[in-house]
Amino acid sequence: MKKPTAIFILLLLLFSLLIFIPELNVAIAESKTIIVSDNYPNIQRAINAASEGDTIFVKKGTYEEKTLEINKRLSLIGEDVENTKINLHPRWIESTQPFYPSYYEKAMLIEANDVRLSGFTITSVGGSLFAAGQRDQITGNIIATDLSLTGSYINVSNNTITRGIGCYGSHHIIAGNKIIESGIVVGGTLDGNDSLNTIYGNTITDCNNGIRLDGGGNTVFNNTIRSCYHAVTILGMSSSNNVYANTVTNNIGGLELFGQGNDNVFHGNYVANNQYGVLLSYTYMMSPGENNTVYHNNFVDNVEQISTSPTYPGTTAPTYPTGKYDNGQEGNYWSDYNGTDNDGDGIGDTPYILNENNIDNYPLVNQSVIPEFPSWFILPILIASTLVVMFVRNKLSRNGLE
């Protein structure tokens, strides 16, 4: 993609964030910097002593904490991500109720708005890092525990994560992360509205679910997913998801729709060397979704280009085909298509037919150009998120002077 187009998308994203920022009327005091371990011996004591808007700078070292709770707006910054380590030890809580499992309490809880967490290696014996505020920023960390997001407008970027991300709020940005042995699961919102998250530029490897969408209205682009069981999956009633410009290789399943959602689009993806390239299906006791479309993708050397499995892989649930493999004018590139293009318009003269239920009426005879979003694009997204936070903090400051 050309830079002007990418910048235009960025400006739209920033504009949408500014429009939807809720009104805030909270007074704040002058901020200060607290240093751990100079001023306080551990991180939670520093958090307890901090005021709204303070920065807590944590020197290199290993900090053993039971749990951490951030309930005020502040920045928690590590000196060196590889050498500033937080080891968390949440309690194991035995269930006293039948049918309710025992569990770890939350290892780290961010419940305030506009919190910044950056520069740490975070591990835990159990539990999760749980962010429930608005406009929180979790950037530049190594996180070896589950990360769970509710709230809204949270920015999770440039982290290395080994336990995956559960995304259950709305308007989050998940960008530029390296995620190993787990993936990103996007659930619906508590109010039933679309989740409207942006998932961009992540590298996800060696997992069960690479990116799984249970919520609607999400944008998923320029991710690399490889060596997973399910690379990109849209499930259930999820609708209006836009999945494009991803690289999906060496997985069991490539692009998947399994449910009765509507208006989902897979386009401009490179899908190669998977057990199957694409699956569009629903199951018993469901009705097929409408206007789900796959076009301008490159399906290259997959063992099966379109899955013919009678059940959803890994389950006994039967599958029934649904969806369209072209947009009414152009379809996809299939490396095993052997038709001709006598008029030279780039579209095959005959359809690509797997069977009567899986037909691309306008197959491309050459690979589609996949939009490019270079690595420099992540930085403007981070700048945009930072500008949003600065905007809100300035707004808070003005309200505090009134």
Side-chain angles (χ1 to χ4, degrees), residues 8 10 45 90 115 118 136-137 150 171 215 253 270 292 349 365:
F8 176 72
L10 173 64
R45 286 183 61 181
V115 171
S118 182
D136 298 324
Q137 298 186 70
T150 59
H171 298 90
Y270 180 78
N292 295 303
D349 299 323
V365 296

Side-chain angles (χ1 to χ4, degrees), residues 76 96 114 181 192 224 227 253 257 271 362 395:
L76 184 60
T96 59
D114 304 299
E181 296 183 353
T224 297
S227 302
L257 171 71
V271 184
Y362 306 97
K395 189 174 183 180

